[in-house]
Amino acid sequence: EFQSFLSRGQVDAQVPCVPTLGRIDTLDGRLLSLCRVVAFEEALEAHPLVRKAEQYGIHVDIEGLAQHYGLPTDMLDITGSFAVASFFATSRWDTEGGRYLPVGDNAPLGVIYRVVACILEDRQPESFHLVGWQPLPRPEQQRAFAIRMKPGQDFVHDLFTTERAYFKQSAAISHRIWKEFDEGHALFPNDPAAQLSMQAQELREFTETQMASAWSRVEAWECRRYTPERRASLEVSTRITVISSTALTWNHLDVETRDDQLSHMIEDVLKRVRYRRAMYL
């Protein structure tokens, strides 16, 4: 059944609590990040399993996929699983090691945020983003939902009717939860999409179409228009290069392309789909 409560865990209370796009301080940084998001989303649309899912009439949430593969967007992750939220509330990303590690006894207070799903959907339908199952693994593993946010909005504001529970960190408990999720690997399987997202986060070469889409998103976020001269100046400052064809492809990655196998993968998932109880009334 549809979860009554959705959660978000953090190892400390970020003030304000905003999506990754809102944490980028400079305009040229936001432009470059959104160029990378657009390029990655375009690659996702070309993924053989994504295309096969769409042939079956399954809605594929490309933006939700990009969000859960680590690209900076205007969405904030929440989850239908309290256990998943607990992992993110007790494990911190280690940039040098490129992995999650459990926090210790002396860490700041952790926090679990909670929202009531039906209230959020009723009051903020434009904000509520049900990602759910997707053809690629991360959203399913993380029981994925998201909240789309606007500049200046704070997740803990009354707008989202967010409840908060703070707790003292325990090294023993953090380590146990970390191990239960296979040191984070259960939530972040190293599939080809994860490898491509890492490539996307280093990109500085984009097509004209990708640039136009990225500029549209920049202007929507900034709530203003930019002249061609200002655009050109920002593109130079970010060392962006315009190319004729996309730099992100699935070539040389271990991606299934056989049509019969793709159909089998989709049908295997559809066998596990069940009607909600309301369908039987």
Side-chain angles (χ1 to χ4, degrees):
E1 284 294 305
F2 188 77
Q3 294 91 336
S4 297
F5 299 103
L6 303 177
S7 305
R8 174 179 174 83
Q10 294 180 183
V11 292
D12 52 31
Q14 300 172 357
V15 181
C17 186
V18 298
T20 47
L21 186 62
R23 299 172 213 161
I24 300 172
D25 295 330
T26 62
L27 178 58
D28 54 356
R30 288 191 287 274
L31 170 63
L32 181 58
S33 294
L34 286 171
C35 285
R36 290 167 173 170
V37 170
V38 169
F40 185 61
E41 288 177 358
E42 189 175 290
L44 289 173
E45 290 173 341
H47 191 287
L49 188 57
V50 170
R51 288 183 169 180
K52 177 58 67 174
E54 290 175 337
Q55 290 176 14
Y56 273 72
I58 297 171
H59 169 68
V60 179
D61 191 327
I62 296 297
E63 289 182 284
L65 279 171
Q67 163 74 7
H68 281 82
Y69 276 95
L71 277 294
T73 71
D74 59 354
M75 293 188 288
L76 197 69
D77 292 339
I78 52 177
T79 176
S81 167
F82 184 81
V84 170
S86 298
F87 173 84
F88 289 108
T90 56
S91 297
R92 185 186 299 277
W93 177 252
D94 175 41
T95 303
E96 290 186 6
R99 59 175 182 158
Y100 278 90
L101 292 175
V103 300
D105 292 324
N106 297 323
L109 291 177
V111 59
I112 296 283
Y113 296 113
R114 187 174 80 164
V115 296
V116 181
C118 61
I119 294 178
L120 181 62
E121 189 173 23
D122 288 344
R123 295 185 179 180
Q124 297 289 321
E126 72 282 0
S127 303
F128 187 64
H129 208 66
L130 198 164
V131 182
W133 176 84
Q134 294 292 317
L136 306 182
R138 277 197 190 178
E140 181 182 8
Q141 296 298 95
Q142 297 182 16
R143 307 300 189 266
F145 294 78
I147 294 177
R148 188 183 300 279
M149 299 177 66
K150 298 176 182 178
Q153 287 186 333
D154 186 347
F155 178 59
V156 299
H157 191 273
D158 289 343
L159 178 71
F160 301 108
T161 61
T162 308
E163 300 173 302
R164 285 155 276 178
Y166 299 95
F167 63 93
K168 187 178 185 301
Q169 297 281 8
S170 161
I173 293 174
S174 297
H175 189 270
R176 175 175 59 79
I177 295 173
W178 183 65
K179 295 299 289 186
E180 285 176 356
F181 283 93
D182 190 22
E183 302 178 3
H185 299 302
L187 298 177
F188 298 93
N190 187 27
D191 64 324
Q195 298 170 37
L196 199 69
S197 74
M198 294 174 64
Q199 296 178 31
Q201 294 176 59
E202 301 295 327
L203 273 185
R204 289 187 183 271
E205 300 177 330
F206 309 98
T207 66
E208 288 186 1
T209 301
Q210 290 168 348
M211 289 296 303
S213 180
W215 269 114
S216 177
R217 297 190 190 192
V218 168
E219 292 180 337
W221 178 263
E222 302 290 335
C223 299
R224 60 172 295 183
R225 300 295 295 273
Y226 293 93
T227 64
E229 294 77 17
R230 179 61 171 149
R231 288 189 177 195
S233 173
L234 283 166
E235 290 170 16
V236 169
S237 68
T238 55
R239 305 196 309 278
I240 285 175
T241 302
V242 177
I243 55 178
S244 58
S245 59
T246 184
L248 278 186
T249 70
W250 300 99
N251 298 338
H252 311 300
L253 291 174
D254 186 19
V255 175
E256 180 63 69
T257 59
R258 294 171 295 177
D259 189 73
D260 58 335
Q261 288 300 312
L262 294 170
S263 295
H264 176 74
M265 293 165 69
I266 296 294
E267 290 168 2
D268 183 61
V269 171
L270 291 178
K271 289 177 183 177
R272 295 188 279 122
V273 174
R274 297 292 182 269
Y275 290 106
R276 294 177 63 184
R277 184 180 300 174
M279 294 295 294
Y280 296 99
L281 296 178

